[in-house]
Amino acid sequence: MSFVDGPVQWRLPIGFQAFFALCLLLQGSVLPDSPRWLIAHGYKEQGARVIAMLEDQDSTNHPDVLHVTQEIEASLALESAGGPFRYKELLEGGKIQNFRRICLCIGVNVMQQFTGANMINYLAPVVYQNTMGLSRNLSLILGGFTAVTYMFASFIPLWTVDRYGRRPLLMISAGGLSLCFIVAAILLSTGSKPAAYGATAMVFIFQIFLGVGYLPIPWLYPAEISTTRIRARGSAISSFFNWMCVFAVVEMTPPAIANIGWHVFIIFAIFNACWVPLVYCFFPETHSLELEDIDAIFEKGGITGGVWGSPGGRTVQRREIPVKLTEEK
């Protein structure tokens, strides 16, 4: 569309996105309600039928279906314990450490945005043209391929997140992102055209490291680190901070590039380097833990919540949930 003049140049790209929203709306219209929502609102039979479909079972009395149903009921009972939710609970410490959990929910999302990810994903043509000195047309083409690389990198977590855990991927991702921006800054400092092409390659590698950790995990971690009672609020607050930081980064980056050029890579490289020790010291590993384990994840106490002194940041070990199965007549 960059070769087209007139309002269609911006109207069509914006309007065409409604097509995908419509596809999502049509898809959502045929999906069943959440079994958790159904059971919470007294529709246990309908919830059990949805669980049976998810478990690929014909009967709602199958042991697997009964197990999941009773797990949901136990979770809902735990969530409602203590009476109606009060927002001051988010500031509580003690063994549960709600405030620490909220800080981690917010922190991992703020860290995601200050990796510089959306400097690249929103403003790639501007970055290529104004920091690397590439032509407008080449910058637009590279911006498109950068987005394609981002898309393919988003598939990496399907094979890595549940195999290697959250902490290692966050630290590897942050280290790789920092290294990419450091190399890009060094190359651009020479001012040569070949160095600009090398810096472009670093941006593409940056997208791969982003897919390894800081693309998926900030959307998973808040729900995993929160207790059942505050999970919805923790996820909502973390999403709010995520999008506020998106706004901040996208607003700040163009004037930053206009004033300091390629030096903006150094700023984000420093941020990424800082995320490695922060994750190592304060973010516990949540891989494979059950709901009851999450409640006890900070019981060791201390400044780091027990994370510093625990091998791999695993402050608790996974245990099986005792659920008594009973068949309904």
Side-chain angles (χ1 to χ4, degrees), residues 126-315:
V126 175
V127 172
Y128 289 130
Q129 186 173 357
N130 296 346
T131 68
M132 303 182 186
L134 303 180
S135 68
R136 179 174 182 273
N137 285 343
L138 180 58
S139 296
L140 289 170
I141 293 170
L142 288 173
F145 279 106
T146 301
V148 172
T149 305
Y150 179 78
M151 179 187 70
F152 283 112
S154 68
F155 288 98
I156 296 175
L158 295 176
W159 293 277
T160 59
V161 168
D162 282 332
R163 178 173 295 180
Y164 301 110
R166 285 58 168 155
R167 278 166 46 91
L169 295 182
L170 285 174
M171 290 187 285
I172 291 170
S173 178
L177 297 175
S178 181
L179 182 61
C180 287
F181 276 168
I182 290 172
V183 174
I186 293 171
L187 290 171
L188 291 173
S189 68
T190 66
S192 66
K193 186 67 70 174
Y197 293 142
T200 301
M202 288 298 102
V203 172
F204 279 81
I205 298 173
F206 174 95
Q207 295 287 60
I208 296 173
F209 275 110
L210 182 66
V212 168
Y214 272 98
L215 173 59
I217 294 176
W219 300 107
L220 306 174
Y221 199 78
E224 293 181 340
I225 199 65
S226 302
T227 61
T228 304
R229 188 168 173 85
I230 70 167
R231 182 165 292 121
R233 282 84 178 181
S235 296
I237 292 170
S238 65
S239 295
F240 169 80
F241 274 88
N242 186 293
W243 289 109
M244 288 299 99
C245 289
V246 170
F247 173 78
V249 169
V250 173
E251 285 294 309
M252 291 187 297
T253 299
I257 291 175
N259 284 282
I260 62 175
W262 58 265
H263 293 84
V264 72
F265 287 111
I266 299 175
I267 296 173
F268 285 113
I270 293 171
F271 276 131
N272 283 307
C274 291
W275 303 157
V276 178
L278 281 176
V279 171
Y280 184 84
C281 293
F282 295 102
F283 286 73
E285 181 58 66
T286 58
H287 171 52
S288 76
L289 296 181
E290 301 288 354
L291 290 173
E292 285 76 9
D293 303 325
I294 294 298
D295 290 346
I297 204 167
F298 292 121
E299 284 189 352
K300 291 185 177 180
I303 295 175
T304 67
V307 178
W308 173 263
S310 301
R314 190 173 288 277
T315 59

Side-chain angles (χ1 to χ4, degrees), residues 1-2 7-20:
M1 298 304 296
S2 62
V8 69
Q9 187 181 53
W10 61 269
R11 290 185 187 274
L12 181 59
I14 292 177
F16 185 65
Q17 297 177 66
F19 168 77
F20 300 101

